[in-house]
Amino acid sequence: MNLYLGIDFGTTGARSTIIDSQGTIHCETECTFAGAQQPELPSVWQNALWALIEQIPATIRNQVSAIALDGTSSTVMLCDTDGVPVCEPILYNDGRGAAVTETLRAIAPANHTVLSATSSFAKLLWWQDFRGFTSQLYFLHQADWLAFLLHGKLGISDYHNALKLGFDVDTLCYPDWLIEGIAGAVTPKLPEVVAPGTPVGELRAQVGDRFGFPRDCTVCAGTTDSIAAFLASGVNSPGEAVTSLGSTLAVKLLSHTRVDDSRYGIYSHRFPPLCRGGAPVPALPMPAQAGDLWLVGGASNTGGAVLRHFFTDAELDSLSQKIDAKQESLLDYYPLLKNGDRFPINDPNLAPKLEPRPTDSVEFLHGLLESIARIEARGYQLLQELGATPLTKVYTAGGGAKNATWSAIRQRYLKVPVETPIHTAAAYGSALLAKQGSQSI
């Protein structure tokens, strides 16, 4: 039997899912790393990767024919020519790129996706301006580096992760403005970009021998965590969307129209992922209608991390059951843990709004859930105002999908059905990519 391993790296932990050719789950594992200090993250991620794999029974590992991995979008790092990180990573929601705003605007076209303090390109410019480079280094995304640990080929990315670096998903190459904009200075080597799901190489022999994978096990190019969650949902009709409610909030709407607007942190990804030669791959959900389709959306810093700052999981569950989802909360918050948001307000200096705080915990949680729902609804409203296909249904992925009260509140604002798909785990979506890659060889 051929099995396919998907690995998902989120903000506070990592997960794996193994499926067969029918999509049936054979094994799931999990490893948390909440509270890890930023300089320690590369070693924490590496240890989590090995821990996830070790938890998979040997009898399952030796049937895995392909692996794909997703990571948080715009989490980036610098590595030497051996793939060893040379400094701490810059995380997806880190707004230090605001310090290079003038340089960014002088290089990138008006209203481009990279015109955000948290974009991968802004972080590259920040490193260039504030750190400088004296030796050959590689600029990688989190998913790129973790996949390198598996296949050993340094400097390979996918066009989902590379979008916020400025990679042109129409021409499938780096644009002239990007190359010219970073020319004249010592700069890291940009990753080679391939389609998500593309077979990159066989698993490194030492990794295969250590864990008992087949000799011909293939590692495929991955994607971002929110797109992996979208793939897991099985959505394939324009107008349907997936909201990922994990530590943060990310929305993805399947649209006939591409929408990019940096004023609001809105960008578009190709859908479905393409295999070599540009042909759609039948292993993934296929569009119900012909023509080019786009995943239009954005990602906000609000979400589950804010809720967990104030409540335990048990408290969230018990308090949510006491909330009347039909009753609107008059508390108007903008729930953030620190200054700055990316979507639907793209402002690295946006201050959190968490006052007034009532003494009643149920009332406070109601206000938080309702306020996050308003942010989500505003995001979808913006997508449609800017020309995306009208919203018809929202599926929910991530931990927030389990909260029925929150789903009812969100449906009141979204005014369309809100449902939970059969599969909500991003790791499942990455396993589908692994399956795709294996079948395209």
Side-chain angles (χ1 to χ4, degrees):
M1 179 187 296
N2 288 327
L3 299 178
Y4 310 98
L5 169 58
I7 299 174
D8 161 53
F9 270 76
T11 304
T12 59
R15 298 156 192 83
S16 82
T17 299
I18 292 181
I19 64 172
D20 60 23
S21 58
Q22 303 303 311
T24 302
I25 296 174
H26 285 250
C27 180
E28 293 179 298
T29 67
E30 185 172 356
C31 180
T32 61
F33 43 76
Q37 297 301 306
Q38 201 158 327
E40 303 168 352
L41 283 176
S43 61
V44 169
W45 293 338
Q46 182 171 340
N47 291 337
L49 177 61
W50 304 146
L52 284 177
I53 294 173
E54 278 185 323
Q55 292 176 49
I56 301 168
T59 53
I60 292 180
R61 289 200 299 260
N62 63 25
Q63 298 180 76
V64 172
S65 60
I67 303 171
L69 188 149
D70 70 75
T72 50
S73 176
S74 286
T75 293
V76 296
M77 53 204 304
L78 293 173
C79 299
D80 64 19
T81 54
D82 292 321
V84 178
V86 298
C87 57
E88 68 180 34
I90 302 181
L91 300 181
Y92 63 92
N93 59 353
D94 190 311
R96 71 182 72 185
V100 295
T101 297
E102 288 188 22
T103 305
L104 191 60
R105 289 178 177 165
I107 295 174
N111 220 23
H112 196 278
T113 300
V114 302
L115 293 171
S116 168
T118 59
S119 74
S120 300
F121 189 61
K123 291 161 185 169
L124 171 62
L125 293 180
W126 184 89
W127 263 321
Q128 197 171 51
D129 282 11
F130 289 90
R131 185 184 189 279
F133 308 105
T134 57
S135 60
Q136 179 63 69
L137 298 175
Y138 282 80
F139 182 90
L140 300 173
H141 302 90
Q142 178 191 35
D144 308 341
W145 182 71
L146 288 164
F148 156 74
L149 297 179
L150 297 176
H151 57 57
K153 295 185 177 182
L154 190 61
I156 307 291
S157 190
D158 64 88
Y159 61 57
H160 287 161
N161 273 292
L163 181 76
K164 295 179 186 177
L165 180 55
F167 186 80
D168 191 325
V169 294
D170 276 327
T171 62
L172 297 180
C173 64
Y174 288 108
D176 290 341
W177 62 260
L178 190 159
I179 302 301
E180 293 167 3
I182 61 176
V186 179
T187 193
K189 182 176 176 60
L190 301 182
E192 174 189 349
V193 181
V194 300
T198 300
V200 175
E202 291 185 352
L203 193 67
R204 295 167 100 167
Q206 58 266 46
V207 177
D209 291 344
R210 174 181 174 183
F211 296 108
F213 286 107
R215 284 284 181 178
D216 59 352
C217 180
T218 301
V219 182
C220 303
T223 183
T224 67
D225 55 349
S226 60
I227 292 185
F230 190 98
L231 296 176
S233 73
V235 169
N236 63 7
S237 297
E240 294 185 342
V242 173
T243 295
S244 296
L245 288 174
S247 296
T248 58
L249 180 151
V251 306
K252 294 280 187 292
L253 169 65
L254 192 57
S255 173
H256 289 292
T257 307
R258 178 179 179 177
V259 179
D260 296 283
D261 198 320
S262 66
R263 293 175 301 171
Y264 308 109
I266 295 170
Y267 49 88
S268 295
H269 285 282
R270 275 182 177 270
F271 183 88
L274 307 179
C275 71
R276 293 170 297 179
V281 177
L284 289 171
M286 292 302 298
Q289 303 177 37
D292 292 334
L293 292 178
W294 299 91
L295 280 184
V296 182
S300 171
N301 291 338
T302 194
V306 181
L307 300 179
R308 286 195 176 93
H309 179 74
F310 295 104
F311 304 102
T312 65
D313 287 349
E315 288 171 336
L316 287 172
D317 183 54
S318 63
L319 294 174
S320 292
Q321 295 180 35
K322 299 176 182 178
I323 294 172
D324 181 359
K326 297 178 182 178
Q327 181 68 41
E328 180 180 358
S329 170
L330 299 180
L331 294 169
D332 185 16
Y333 298 142
Y334 203 103
L336 299 169
L337 291 180
K338 61 181 181 179
N339 284 2
D341 201 12
R342 301 169 286 160
F343 166 84
I345 300 174
N346 188 7
D347 180 359
N349 299 311
L350 182 69
K353 183 181 178 184
L354 293 163
E355 298 290 342
R357 179 173 177 176
T359 55
D360 183 352
S361 294
V362 174
E363 186 180 350
F364 181 48
L365 177 59
H366 189 180
L368 291 174
L369 295 179
E370 191 113 7
S371 296
I372 296 173
R374 292 188 192 110
I375 293 170
E376 178 191 8
R378 177 54 183 156
Y380 280 118
Q381 180 184 354
L382 272 173
L383 300 185
Q384 293 164 95
E385 288 175 0
L386 294 169
T389 298
L391 184 69
T392 59
K393 184 182 291 186
V394 174
Y395 291 90
T396 310
K402 302 172 185 176
N403 192 315
T405 302
W406 201 2
S407 294
I409 292 171
R410 292 169 51 233
Q411 183 163 314
R412 175 157 45 82
Y413 280 95
L414 294 169
K415 303 185 188 311
V416 297
V418 174
E419 300 181 8
T420 301
I422 295 174
H423 300 291
T424 63
Y428 188 92
S430 286
L432 289 176
L433 274 183
K435 176 187 169 189
Q436 165 192 293
S438 178
Q439 295 180 348
S440 68
I441 297 175

